[in-house]
Amino acid sequence: MKKRLTKIELFKQAMNFSAGHFTIFSDSERENLHGHSFSVYVMFEAEVTNNGMTFDYGIYKEIILNICQFLDEVFLLPLKNPYLKIEEFDEYIYALFNGGKEKIPFLKRDVKLLPVRNITVEELSHWFLQQLLVNVQENQEHLIQTIEVKIFSGPGQSGSSFWSKK
């Protein structure tokens, strides 16, 4: 019997996080500090099994919600940006920008340092996808073929990242 694929789309109201950031454009140009209410959409393409379903996608809803909670109500800083240096001292994190001319202080408890190049929807969707892939690879019996993660920084504005088993 030929494999039948279907798409499972998860885009629940609770799949969101509010976070501060600034986008870095060059060695001397960046946005002002600001924040967004980000929304998360995840699509899985998977094989329909003999029982008429793909897998228990409640597992992934919980994972997505946990990642959102991890990112919620913090300021996000990129660790891999060539124009930003991060220093830690006591209970503070300093973001040094523009050759050190700008030294932006944060309390450590208010910051998440992410291994990305910039805090953009493009980078956040890729980082989010990488977090999901750890669980997908541990659960190969779910027969997931492709994943799309879309991060919205507002209505009508998003960035996507894709993974395919093929």
Side-chain angles (χ1 to χ4, degrees):
M1 183 149 105
K2 187 177 177 183
K3 291 188 224 178
R4 190 175 106 214
L5 298 177
T6 192
K7 291 181 180 180
I8 301 297
E9 297 175 299
L10 303 176
F11 191 47
K12 308 284 282 175
Q13 186 172 359
M15 292 177 181
N16 64 74
F17 58 96
S18 295
H21 83 114
F22 56 88
T23 300
I24 299 169
F25 300 111
S26 70
D27 63 345
S28 61
E29 187 181 1
R30 67 169 177 84
E31 292 180 316
N32 289 333
L33 280 64
H34 66 284
H36 295 277
S37 292
F38 294 93
S39 299
V40 179
Y41 162 92
V42 179
M43 183 278 298
F44 297 93
E45 184 180 54
E47 188 176 324
V48 178
T49 61
N50 291 337
N51 67 358
M53 61 181 280
T54 52
F55 52 86
D56 177 4
Y57 46 88
I59 295 166
Y60 295 99
K61 282 196 281 190
E62 185 177 340
I63 292 165
I64 294 164
L65 290 171
N66 286 338
I67 297 169
C68 287
Q69 185 177 7
F70 173 77
L71 297 172
D72 196 35
E73 296 185 356
V74 294
F75 199 88
L76 303 174
L77 290 173
L79 285 172
K80 294 184 175 184
N81 191 289
Y83 307 124
L84 188 72
K85 185 176 177 190
I86 303 295
E87 289 183 353
E88 297 185 38
F89 184 73
D90 292 334
E91 294 181 29
Y92 292 92
I93 289 179
Y94 296 95
L96 287 86
F97 180 71
N98 198 2
K101 293 176 190 169
E102 297 180 41
K103 187 174 184 178
I104 309 165
F106 299 95
L107 288 171
K108 281 184 182 179
R109 63 173 236 164
D110 293 332
V111 173
K112 294 289 187 210
L113 301 172
L114 297 182
V116 297
R117 295 172 291 182
N118 219 333
I119 303 300
T120 59
V121 290
E122 300 92 328
E123 286 288 280
L124 288 173
S125 65
H126 179 74
W127 178 84
F128 211 101
L129 176 62
Q130 298 309 306
Q131 307 313 298
L132 285 174
L133 283 174
V134 170
N135 294 283
V136 168
Q137 291 164 348
E138 289 174 0
N139 295 291
Q140 291 187 14
E141 71 276 8
H142 292 166
L143 305 175
I144 294 170
Q145 304 298 308
T146 62
I147 303 171
E148 176 184 8
V149 174
K150 195 178 283 193
I151 304 289
F152 291 83
S153 60
Q157 184 169 302
S158 66
S160 299
S161 289
F162 303 89
W163 171 83
S164 178
K165 186 176 182 178
K166 301 169 191 171

Short mmCIF file of all heavy atoms in Angstrom, two decimals, residues 72-123:
data_model
loop_
_atom_site.label_atom_id
_atom_site.label_comp_id
_atom_site.label_asym_id
_atom_site.label_seq_id
_atom_site.Cartn_x
_atom_site.Cartn_y
_atom_site.Cartn_z
N ASP A 72 9.81 33.73 26.89
CA ASP A 72 8.82 34.73 27.27
C ASP A 72 9.34 35.70 28.33
O ASP A 72 9.99 35.30 29.30
CB ASP A 72 7.56 34.04 27.80
CG ASP A 72 6.35 34.96 27.84
OD1 ASP A 72 6.23 35.83 26.96
OD2 ASP A 72 5.53 34.81 28.76
N GLU A 73 9.05 36.97 28.11
CA GLU A 73 9.33 38.05 29.06
C GLU A 73 10.82 38.19 29.40
O GLU A 73 11.21 38.36 30.54
CB GLU A 73 8.50 37.89 30.33
CG GLU A 73 7.02 38.01 30.08
CD GLU A 73 6.17 37.97 31.34
OE1 GLU A 73 6.72 37.77 32.44
OE2 GLU A 73 4.96 38.11 31.21
N VAL A 74 11.64 38.10 28.35
CA VAL A 74 13.09 38.31 28.49
C VAL A 74 13.56 39.18 27.33
O VAL A 74 12.83 39.44 26.38
CB VAL A 74 13.89 36.98 28.50
CG1 VAL A 74 13.57 36.16 29.73
CG2 VAL A 74 13.64 36.19 27.22
N PHE A 75 14.81 39.61 27.43
CA PHE A 75 15.45 40.32 26.33
C PHE A 75 16.37 39.32 25.65
O PHE A 75 17.16 38.64 26.31
CB PHE A 75 16.25 41.53 26.85
CG PHE A 75 16.53 42.51 25.77
CD1 PHE A 75 15.64 43.52 25.48
CD2 PHE A 75 17.70 42.41 25.02
CE1 PHE A 75 15.89 44.42 24.45
CE2 PHE A 75 17.96 43.30 23.99
CZ PHE A 75 17.05 44.32 23.70
N LEU A 76 16.28 39.20 24.34
CA LEU A 76 17.06 38.23 23.58
C LEU A 76 18.29 38.90 22.97
O LEU A 76 18.18 39.95 22.33
CB LEU A 76 16.20 37.62 22.47
CG LEU A 76 14.90 36.94 22.93
CD1 LEU A 76 14.07 36.50 21.73
CD2 LEU A 76 15.20 35.77 23.85
N LEU A 77 19.44 38.26 23.17
CA LEU A 77 20.69 38.75 22.60
C LEU A 77 21.36 37.63 21.80
O LEU A 77 21.39 36.47 22.24
CB LEU A 77 21.65 39.21 23.70
CG LEU A 77 21.27 40.49 24.44
CD1 LEU A 77 22.21 40.73 25.61
CD2 LEU A 77 21.30 41.69 23.49
N PRO A 78 21.93 37.97 20.63
CA PRO A 78 22.60 36.96 19.80
C PRO A 78 24.05 36.77 20.23
O PRO A 78 24.78 37.73 20.44
CB PRO A 78 22.53 37.58 18.40
CG PRO A 78 22.58 39.06 18.65
CD PRO A 78 21.85 39.27 19.96
N LEU A 79 24.46 35.52 20.33
CA LEU A 79 25.85 35.22 20.69
C LEU A 79 26.79 35.19 19.49
O LEU A 79 28.00 35.30 19.65
CB LEU A 79 25.93 33.87 21.40
CG LEU A 79 25.45 33.84 22.85
CD1 LEU A 79 25.40 32.42 23.37
CD2 LEU A 79 26.35 34.70 23.71
N LYS A 80 26.25 35.04 18.28
CA LYS A 80 27.11 34.84 17.11
C LYS A 80 27.17 36.06 16.18
O LYS A 80 27.57 35.93 15.04
CB LYS A 80 26.62 33.62 16.32
CG LYS A 80 26.80 32.32 17.08
CD LYS A 80 26.40 31.15 16.23
CE LYS A 80 26.70 29.84 16.94
NZ LYS A 80 26.39 28.69 16.10
N ASN A 81 26.78 37.22 16.67
CA ASN A 81 26.84 38.40 15.82
C ASN A 81 28.25 38.99 15.87
O ASN A 81 28.78 39.25 16.95
CB ASN A 81 25.82 39.45 16.27
CG ASN A 81 25.69 40.56 15.27
OD1 ASN A 81 26.59 41.38 15.12
ND2 ASN A 81 24.58 40.58 14.56
N PRO A 82 28.87 39.20 14.71
CA PRO A 82 30.25 39.72 14.70
C PRO A 82 30.37 41.16 15.21
O PRO A 82 31.47 41.59 15.53
CB PRO A 82 30.66 39.62 13.23
CG PRO A 82 29.38 39.65 12.47
CD PRO A 82 28.36 38.98 13.36
N TYR A 83 29.26 41.88 15.29
CA TYR A 83 29.30 43.29 15.69
C TYR A 83 28.88 43.50 17.14
O TYR A 83 28.79 44.62 17.61
CB TYR A 83 28.40 44.13 14.78
CG TYR A 83 28.71 43.96 13.33
CD1 TYR A 83 27.73 43.58 12.44
CD2 TYR A 83 30.00 44.17 12.83
CE1 TYR A 83 28.01 43.42 11.09
CE2 TYR A 83 30.29 44.01 11.49
CZ TYR A 83 29.29 43.63 10.62
OH TYR A 83 29.57 43.47 9.30
N LEU A 84 28.61 42.42 17.86
CA LEU A 84 28.16 42.53 19.24
C LEU A 84 29.05 41.68 20.12
O LEU A 84 29.31 40.51 19.82
CB LEU A 84 26.70 42.06 19.37
CG LEU A 84 26.05 42.30 20.71
CD1 LEU A 84 25.76 43.79 20.91
CD2 LEU A 84 24.73 41.52 20.81
N LYS A 85 29.52 42.27 21.18
CA LYS A 85 30.32 41.53 22.16
C LYS A 85 29.51 41.45 23.45
O LYS A 85 28.91 42.44 23.87
CB LYS A 85 31.65 42.24 22.41
CG LYS A 85 32.58 41.47 23.33
CD LYS A 85 33.92 42.17 23.48
CE LYS A 85 34.78 41.39 24.47
NZ LYS A 85 35.99 42.13 24.83
N ILE A 86 29.50 40.28 24.05
CA ILE A 86 28.77 40.07 25.30
C ILE A 86 29.78 39.91 26.43
O ILE A 86 30.71 39.11 26.32
CB ILE A 86 27.88 38.79 25.22
CG1 ILE A 86 26.90 38.87 24.04
CG2 ILE A 86 27.16 38.56 26.54
CD1 ILE A 86 25.87 39.94 24.13
N GLU A 87 29.58 40.67 27.49
CA GLU A 87 30.40 40.53 28.69
C GLU A 87 29.49 40.27 29.88
O GLU A 87 28.41 40.85 29.97
CB GLU A 87 31.21 41.81 28.95
CG GLU A 87 32.33 42.04 27.97
CD GLU A 87 33.16 43.27 28.31
OE1 GLU A 87 32.78 44.04 29.24
OE2 GLU A 87 34.19 43.48 27.65
N GLU A 88 29.96 39.43 30.77
CA GLU A 88 29.20 39.14 31.99
C GLU A 88 30.04 39.57 33.18
O GLU A 88 31.24 39.31 33.24
CB GLU A 88 28.87 37.66 32.07
CG GLU A 88 27.96 37.19 30.94
CD GLU A 88 27.52 35.74 31.08
OE1 GLU A 88 27.25 35.31 32.22
OE2 GLU A 88 27.46 35.06 30.05
N PHE A 89 29.38 40.25 34.13
CA PHE A 89 30.06 40.70 35.33
C PHE A 89 29.06 40.69 36.48
O PHE A 89 28.02 41.37 36.40
CB PHE A 89 30.65 42.10 35.13
CG PHE A 89 31.45 42.59 36.30
CD1 PHE A 89 32.71 42.07 36.57
CD2 PHE A 89 30.94 43.56 37.14
CE1 PHE A 89 33.45 42.52 37.65
CE2 PHE A 89 31.67 44.02 38.23
CZ PHE A 89 32.93 43.49 38.49
N ASP A 90 29.35 39.92 37.50
CA ASP A 90 28.44 39.77 38.64
C ASP A 90 27.05 39.40 38.15
O ASP A 90 26.90 38.40 37.48
CB ASP A 90 28.42 41.03 39.51
CG ASP A 90 29.74 41.28 40.24
OD1 ASP A 90 30.46 40.29 40.49
OD2 ASP A 90 30.04 42.44 40.54
N GLU A 91 26.07 40.21 38.46
CA GLU A 91 24.69 39.90 38.08
C GLU A 91 24.26 40.59 36.79
O GLU A 91 23.08 40.67 36.47
CB GLU A 91 23.75 40.30 39.22
CG GLU A 91 23.96 39.46 40.47
CD GLU A 91 23.01 39.83 41.59
OE1 GLU A 91 21.89 40.29 41.30
OE2 GLU A 91 23.40 39.64 42.75
N TYR A 92 25.25 41.08 36.03
CA TYR A 92 24.93 41.85 34.82
C TYR A 92 25.49 41.21 33.56
O TYR A 92 26.52 40.53 33.59
CB TYR A 92 25.49 43.28 34.93
CG TYR A 92 24.78 44.09 35.97
CD1 TYR A 92 25.25 44.15 37.28
CD2 TYR A 92 23.62 44.79 35.65
CE1 TYR A 92 24.59 44.89 38.24
CE2 TYR A 92 22.94 45.53 36.61
CZ TYR A 92 23.43 45.58 37.90
OH TYR A 92 22.76 46.31 38.85
N ILE A 93 24.80 41.47 32.49
CA ILE A 93 25.28 41.16 31.14
C ILE A 93 25.35 42.49 30.41
O ILE A 93 24.41 43.30 30.49
CB ILE A 93 24.32 40.20 30.41
CG1 ILE A 93 24.43 38.80 31.03
CG2 ILE A 93 24.62 40.15 28.92
CD1 ILE A 93 23.51 37.77 30.43
N TYR A 94 26.46 42.72 29.75
CA TYR A 94 26.63 43.94 28.97
C TYR A 94 26.71 43.57 27.49
O TYR A 94 27.47 42.69 27.10
CB TYR A 94 27.91 44.68 29.38
CG TYR A 94 27.87 45.17 30.80
CD1 TYR A 94 28.42 44.41 31.84
CD2 TYR A 94 27.26 46.38 31.11
CE1 TYR A 94 28.38 44.86 33.15
CE2 TYR A 94 27.22 46.83 32.42
CZ TYR A 94 27.77 46.06 33.43
OH TYR A 94 27.71 46.52 34.73
N ALA A 95 25.92 44.28 26.69
CA ALA A 95 25.98 44.14 25.24
C ALA A 95 26.81 45.31 24.73
O ALA A 95 26.40 46.47 24.86
CB ALA A 95 24.58 44.16 24.65
N LEU A 96 28.00 45.03 24.20
CA LEU A 96 28.88 46.07 23.69
C LEU A 96 28.74 46.13 22.17
O LEU A 96 28.94 45.13 21.47
CB LEU A 96 30.33 45.80 24.07
CG LEU A 96 30.64 46.05 25.54
CD1 LEU A 96 30.32 44.83 26.38
CD2 LEU A 96 32.07 46.44 25.70
N PHE A 97 28.40 47.33 21.70
CA PHE A 97 28.13 47.53 20.28
C PHE A 97 28.87 48.76 19.78
O PHE A 97 29.26 49.62 20.58
CB PHE A 97 26.61 47.69 20.08
CG PHE A 97 26.21 47.89 18.66
CD1 PHE A 97 26.31 46.86 17.74
CD2 PHE A 97 25.77 49.13 18.23
CE1 PHE A 97 25.96 47.06 16.42
CE2 PHE A 97 25.42 49.34 16.90
CZ PHE A 97 25.51 48.30 16.00
N ASN A 98 29.05 48.85 18.49
CA ASN A 98 29.69 50.00 17.85
C ASN A 98 31.11 50.18 18.39
O ASN A 98 31.50 51.25 18.84
CB ASN A 98 28.84 51.26 18.05
CG ASN A 98 29.20 52.38 17.09
OD1 ASN A 98 30.07 52.21 16.22
ND2 ASN A 98 28.56 53.52 17.24
N GLY A 99 31.86 49.09 18.36
CA GLY A 99 33.24 49.12 18.82
C GLY A 99 33.38 49.40 20.30
O GLY A 99 34.41 49.91 20.74
N GLY A 100 32.34 49.12 21.08
CA GLY A 100 32.36 49.36 22.52
C GLY A 100 31.87 50.74 22.92
O GLY A 100 31.79 51.05 24.11
N LYS A 101 31.51 51.58 21.94
CA LYS A 101 31.00 52.92 22.25
C LYS A 101 29.64 52.85 22.95
O LYS A 101 29.29 53.75 23.71
CB LYS A 101 30.87 53.76 20.97
CG LYS A 101 32.19 54.11 20.33
CD LYS A 101 31.97 54.86 19.03
CE LYS A 101 33.28 55.00 18.26
NZ LYS A 101 33.06 55.48 16.91
N GLU A 102 28.89 51.80 22.67
CA GLU A 102 27.60 51.58 23.32
C GLU A 102 27.73 50.37 24.23
O GLU A 102 28.03 49.27 23.77
CB GLU A 102 26.49 51.34 22.30
CG GLU A 102 26.24 52.50 21.37
CD GLU A 102 25.14 52.22 20.37
OE1 GLU A 102 24.11 51.62 20.75
OE2 GLU A 102 25.30 52.60 19.20
N LYS A 103 27.52 50.58 25.51
CA LYS A 103 27.59 49.49 26.49
C LYS A 103 26.22 49.43 27.16
O LYS A 103 25.88 50.27 27.99
CB LYS A 103 28.68 49.76 27.52
CG LYS A 103 28.93 48.62 28.47
CD LYS A 103 30.13 48.91 29.37
CE LYS A 103 30.45 47.73 30.26
NZ LYS A 103 31.63 47.99 31.10
N ILE A 104 25.42 48.44 26.74
CA ILE A 104 24.03 48.34 27.18
C ILE A 104 23.95 47.32 28.32
O ILE A 104 24.22 46.13 28.10
CB ILE A 104 23.12 47.92 26.02
CG1 ILE A 104 23.37 48.83 24.81
CG2 ILE A 104 21.65 47.96 26.43
CD1 ILE A 104 22.81 48.31 23.50
N PRO A 105 23.56 47.75 29.53
CA PRO A 105 23.52 46.83 30.68
C PRO A 105 22.16 46.14 30.82
O PRO A 105 21.11 46.73 30.55
CB PRO A 105 23.77 47.76 31.86
CG PRO A 105 23.15 49.06 31.44
CD PRO A 105 23.35 49.14 29.95
N PHE A 106 22.20 44.87 31.23
CA PHE A 106 21.01 44.09 31.52
C PHE A 106 21.27 43.28 32.79
O PHE A 106 22.41 42.84 33.03
CB PHE A 106 20.70 43.09 30.40
CG PHE A 106 20.43 43.71 29.07
CD1 PHE A 106 21.45 43.86 28.14
CD2 PHE A 106 19.15 44.12 28.73
CE1 PHE A 106 21.20 44.42 26.90
CE2 PHE A 106 18.89 44.69 27.50
CZ PHE A 106 19.92 44.83 26.57
N LEU A 107 20.24 43.03 33.57
CA LEU A 107 20.34 42.04 34.63
C LEU A 107 20.34 40.66 33.99
O LEU A 107 19.57 40.39 33.05
CB LEU A 107 19.16 42.15 35.59
CG LEU A 107 19.15 43.37 36.51
CD1 LEU A 107 17.82 43.46 37.26
CD2 LEU A 107 20.30 43.28 37.51
N LYS A 108 21.19 39.76 34.45
CA LYS A 108 21.28 38.41 33.88
C LYS A 108 19.92 37.73 33.86
O LYS A 108 19.58 37.04 32.90
CB LYS A 108 22.27 37.55 34.68
CG LYS A 108 23.70 37.81 34.35
CD LYS A 108 24.62 36.85 35.10
CE LYS A 108 26.07 37.14 34.80
NZ LYS A 108 26.97 36.24 35.52
N ARG A 109 19.14 37.92 34.90
CA ARG A 109 17.83 37.24 34.99
C ARG A 109 16.86 37.67 33.89
O ARG A 109 15.89 36.99 33.62
CB ARG A 109 17.20 37.47 36.35
CG ARG A 109 16.89 38.92 36.61
CD ARG A 109 16.12 39.17 37.86
NE ARG A 109 14.92 39.91 37.44
CZ ARG A 109 13.86 40.05 38.16
NH1 ARG A 109 13.79 39.53 39.34
NH2 ARG A 109 12.84 40.73 37.69
N ASP A 110 17.14 38.81 33.25
CA ASP A 110 16.23 39.36 32.24
C ASP A 110 16.65 39.02 30.81
O ASP A 110 16.00 39.46 29.86
CB ASP A 110 16.15 40.89 32.38
CG ASP A 110 15.49 41.32 33.66
OD1 ASP A 110 14.65 40.57 34.19
OD2 ASP A 110 15.81 42.42 34.14
N VAL A 111 17.72 38.25 30.63
CA VAL A 111 18.29 38.03 29.31
C VAL A 111 18.39 36.54 29.00
O VAL A 111 18.70 35.73 29.86
CB VAL A 111 19.70 38.66 29.23
CG1 VAL A 111 20.41 38.30 27.94
CG2 VAL A 111 19.62 40.16 29.39
N LYS A 112 18.15 36.21 27.73
CA LYS A 112 18.47 34.88 27.18
C LYS A 112 19.46 35.12 26.06
O LYS A 112 19.22 35.91 25.14
CB LYS A 112 17.24 34.17 26.63
CG LYS A 112 16.21 33.79 27.66
CD LYS A 112 16.68 32.67 28.53
CE LYS A 112 15.52 32.23 29.43
NZ LYS A 112 15.91 31.72 30.68
N LEU A 113 20.59 34.45 26.15
CA LEU A 113 21.61 34.51 25.10
C LEU A 113 21.38 33.33 24.16
O LEU A 113 21.41 32.18 24.60
CB LEU A 113 23.01 34.42 25.72
CG LEU A 113 23.37 35.52 26.74
CD1 LEU A 113 24.69 35.20 27.42
CD2 LEU A 113 23.41 36.88 26.07
N LEU A 114 21.14 33.62 22.90
CA LEU A 114 20.85 32.57 21.94
C LEU A 114 22.01 32.41 20.95
O LEU A 114 22.59 33.41 20.52
CB LEU A 114 19.57 32.88 21.16
CG LEU A 114 18.28 32.97 21.98
CD1 LEU A 114 17.09 33.25 21.05
CD2 LEU A 114 18.04 31.70 22.77
N PRO A 115 22.32 31.18 20.56
CA PRO A 115 23.41 30.94 19.61
C PRO A 115 22.97 31.22 18.17
O PRO A 115 22.90 30.33 17.33
CB PRO A 115 23.74 29.46 19.84
CG PRO A 115 22.41 28.88 20.23
CD PRO A 115 21.72 29.94 21.04
N VAL A 116 22.64 32.49 17.92
CA VAL A 116 22.19 32.93 16.60
C VAL A 116 22.99 34.17 16.20
O VAL A 116 23.67 34.77 17.03
CB VAL A 116 20.67 33.25 16.59
CG1 VAL A 116 19.85 32.00 16.88
CG2 VAL A 116 20.32 34.35 17.58
N ARG A 117 22.87 34.58 14.93
CA ARG A 117 23.62 35.72 14.42
C ARG A 117 22.92 37.05 14.68
O ARG A 117 23.56 38.10 14.71
CB ARG A 117 23.89 35.57 12.94
CG ARG A 117 24.81 34.37 12.64
CD ARG A 117 24.90 34.12 11.18
NE ARG A 117 23.59 33.63 10.73
CZ ARG A 117 23.31 33.27 9.50
NH1 ARG A 117 24.22 33.34 8.56
NH2 ARG A 117 22.12 32.82 9.17
N ASN A 118 21.60 37.01 14.83
CA ASN A 118 20.83 38.22 15.03
C ASN A 118 19.48 37.81 15.62
O ASN A 118 19.07 36.66 15.47
CB ASN A 118 20.61 38.93 13.68
CG ASN A 118 20.71 40.44 13.76
OD1 ASN A 118 20.46 41.03 14.80
ND2 ASN A 118 21.07 41.06 12.65
N ILE A 119 18.81 38.71 16.27
CA ILE A 119 17.48 38.39 16.78
C ILE A 119 16.48 38.90 15.76
O ILE A 119 15.99 40.03 15.80
CB ILE A 119 17.24 39.00 18.18
CG1 ILE A 119 18.32 38.53 19.16
CG2 ILE A 119 15.85 38.64 18.68
CD1 ILE A 119 18.40 37.02 19.38
N THR A 120 16.23 38.04 14.76
CA THR A 120 15.30 38.31 13.67
C THR A 120 14.36 37.12 13.55
O THR A 120 14.65 36.03 14.07
CB THR A 120 16.06 38.48 12.34
OG1 THR A 120 16.80 37.27 12.08
CG2 THR A 120 17.03 39.67 12.39
N VAL A 121 13.25 37.29 12.83
CA VAL A 121 12.33 36.16 12.65
C VAL A 121 13.00 35.04 11.86
O VAL A 121 12.71 33.86 12.09
CB VAL A 121 11.00 36.60 12.01
CG1 VAL A 121 10.18 37.44 12.98
CG2 VAL A 121 11.20 37.34 10.70
N GLU A 122 13.94 35.39 10.97
CA GLU A 122 14.66 34.37 10.22
C GLU A 122 15.49 33.49 11.14
O GLU A 122 15.47 32.26 11.05
CB GLU A 122 15.60 35.02 9.19
CG GLU A 122 14.93 35.91 8.16
CD GLU A 122 14.85 37.39 8.56
OE1 GLU A 122 14.75 37.70 9.76
OE2 GLU A 122 14.89 38.23 7.64
N GLU A 123 16.24 34.12 12.03
CA GLU A 123 17.11 33.38 12.95
C GLU A 123 16.30 32.68 14.04
O GLU A 123 16.61 31.55 14.42
CB GLU A 123 18.14 34.32 13.57
CG GLU A 123 19.25 34.74 12.62
CD GLU A 123 20.22 33.62 12.31
OE1 GLU A 123 21.10 33.34 13.14
OE2 GLU A 123 20.09 33.02 11.23
#
